[in-house]
Amino acid sequence: MNQAIRRAGELALDETTVTALRAVLRTTADEVVQAIIDEVPPYAGALSGRMGATIRRAVRTALGHYLDLASGHATGGDGGDAAYELGRGEVRDGRSMDALLSAYRVGARVAWRCLAAGAVPAGLPAAEVAKFAELTFAYIDELSAASAAGHADELAARGRAHERHLEQLARDLVAGASPDVLLVSAQRAGWQAPVSLTAVLLPAVQARPAYRTLDQSTLVLDDLPDATGVLLVPDADRPHLVRQLNERSAVIGPPRPWTRASASYARAVRARSLSSDIRDTEDHLPELVLSADADAFADLRARALAPLRTVPVATARRLEETLRAWLLHQGRRDEVAAALFVHPQTVRYRMTQLRELFPDLASPHRVLELTLAVGLRTG
């Protein structure tokens, strides 16, 4: 209020003029509110009933403080504080700063017209009318600046609170919280739940840059252990998502119903622990399945491939490689030979050895066990 206080010092209305102006405060406040209702659409239905009475009292209070200022009996602090809180309240009521500034402009015009109509008949000298006008508009300008500051601060505070709520929702999803907890968390964050979420793991420093290229409803965490970041992408177009993340060190989990996003996250974590080369987990399902229970897989290999322990290590390694190719290529000798870069006759020789070691090689159960046992390359 520094500018208004300075101008008030230059004016200092006499008591006769101030008394006359106080007599028209109520009608001035009513006209200001009515003009705002008529001319600023966002306030058309907001200033009626109890709310309208409250606003009228607030306007009368502001005008009263203004007259105190004009008569040299106020410092200007209270009006600015109230205007600041008004700006914050407008955010809570869902109105923009443009709407509030429009209301201030309308209010300034109407207030000046009404106050001037009361001051001039009360004997305000013509030379002082211009100073009175300057004070009026300086006061309104500073009120509007205080309201703008309150509006901006409230928006910033709400933005920070919204970010915290979104971050907590992401943590709840990754942690596998119950659907009831997730629903409450999503509502608190004002987040529209999608059908599915796809978890993406990537270095923490890449999380925010990648996030800015994705759907605006994507949830992001960039402070997980081991400098890991995670994105939870809603209803992802998977081929497009893979292309978007192609240049990043990302591991993309499977799509899952949004309340089961933790399953997508868990698979991405396991895929990353399995190999640094995995990008799209959907392209590595056999490896993921076979590595799901490492102990069980080791036991299966030990039992299914036990006959190979009866031959030298180098021979066992070649026979296992041949068995794997034979199973994958369904016994087609030429394809097996091409895969192993050997002569078909070599394949025939090795398969003879394998049939001696595995007499029941034609058994469906034996084929299943062996397929699983050699399904992952080891060593």
Side-chain angles (χ1 to χ4, degrees):
M1 291 287 164
N2 291 335
Q3 184 182 8
I5 293 172
R6 179 177 59 78
R7 293 186 184 281
E10 297 172 0
L11 179 63
L13 297 177
D14 59 52
E15 286 301 321
T16 301
T17 303
V18 171
T19 299
L21 292 176
R22 288 193 189 283
V24 298
L25 275 186
R26 181 180 292 275
T27 56
T28 298
D30 289 344
E31 289 194 34
V32 166
V33 172
Q34 190 58 52
I36 292 172
I37 292 172
D38 293 341
E39 298 182 36
V40 187
Y43 290 91
L47 303 182
S48 59
R50 181 177 300 176
M51 179 60 72
T54 300
I55 295 296
R56 284 177 175 81
R57 283 194 299 273
V59 172
R60 285 200 296 272
T61 299
L63 291 173
H65 182 267
Y66 163 72
L67 291 181
D68 290 340
L69 186 65
S71 62
H73 296 146
T75 61
D78 293 342
D81 292 345
Y84 179 87
E85 291 303 321
L86 174 62
R88 294 184 62 200
E90 291 301 276
V91 174
R92 300 185 194 108
D93 290 339
R95 283 184 287 275
S96 69
M97 193 60 223
D98 287 342
L100 182 55
L101 291 178
S102 295
Y104 267 119
R105 285 193 293 270
V106 171
R109 188 188 73 237
V110 174
W112 164 242
R113 186 187 69 222
C114 294
L115 292 174
V120 173
L124 183 66
E128 297 296 297
V129 171
K131 292 181 182 179
F132 187 36
E134 289 179 359
L135 173 61
T136 302
F137 288 102
Y139 181 73
I140 297 296
D141 281 348
E142 294 186 23
L143 286 182
S144 65
S147 287
H151 196 279
D153 287 351
E154 182 68 16
L155 280 178
R158 287 187 166 227
R160 289 191 295 271
H162 183 58
E163 286 297 320
R164 287 196 298 272
H165 291 322
L166 288 173
E167 182 179 301
Q168 185 57 52
L169 171 60
R171 293 187 191 283
D172 290 341
L173 285 163
V174 166
S178 70
D180 288 344
V181 169
L182 293 176
L183 285 171
V184 171
S185 190
Q187 290 170 358
R188 186 182 298 116
W191 183 76
Q192 183 63 46
V195 174
S196 70
L197 284 173
T198 297
V200 178
L201 289 187
L202 68 177
V205 296
Q206 295 184 20
R208 294 286 170 179
Y211 161 71
R212 287 193 287 272
T213 69
L214 301 174
D215 185 289
Q216 63 180 2
S217 296
T218 296
L219 299 172
V220 57
L221 289 173
D222 58 2
D223 59 353
L224 295 179
D226 304 323
T228 297
V230 59
L231 304 173
L232 299 174
V233 186
D235 298 330
D237 176 339
R238 195 172 191 84
H240 181 61
L241 179 62
V242 171
R243 288 194 299 272
Q244 282 181 296
L245 299 173
N246 187 50
E247 300 301 318
R248 302 188 183 278
S249 301
V251 181
I252 306 172
R256 286 292 178 266
W258 79 273
T259 55
R260 294 187 56 239
S262 59
S264 180
Y265 170 72
R267 181 175 295 177
V269 169
R270 194 156 60 80
R272 187 182 59 175
S273 69
L274 184 64
S275 170
S276 61
D277 295 328
I278 293 179
R279 292 292 176 265
D280 185 352
T281 57
E282 296 294 271
D283 292 339
H284 297 270
L285 292 179
E287 296 97 316
L288 288 164
V289 169
L290 293 177
S291 64
D293 186 334
D295 286 344
F297 181 60
D299 290 345
L300 174 64
R301 277 184 57 82
R303 185 178 72 185
L305 301 179
L308 292 180
R309 292 200 294 271
T310 63
V311 299
V313 173
T315 301
R317 189 171 294 138
R318 286 194 299 271
L319 290 178
E320 180 179 343
E321 183 181 47
T322 302
L323 178 60
R324 184 175 189 276
W326 183 80
L327 290 167
L328 291 177
H329 292 280
Q330 299 179 333
R332 292 187 287 271
R333 187 187 307 165
D334 289 344
E335 292 181 20
V336 174
L340 297 175
F341 301 102
V342 298
H343 193 278
Q345 195 64 26
T346 301
V347 173
R348 180 178 180 181
Y349 170 70
R350 292 181 185 176
M351 288 307 303
T352 297
Q353 290 180 284
L354 284 166
R355 287 190 177 91
E356 291 175 356
L357 292 169
F358 299 93
D360 56 348
L361 191 56
S363 162
H365 181 72
R366 172 62 77 181
V367 168
L368 173 62
E369 278 203 347
L370 289 172
T371 300
L372 294 174
V374 299
L376 286 181
R377 294 186 185 276
T378 60

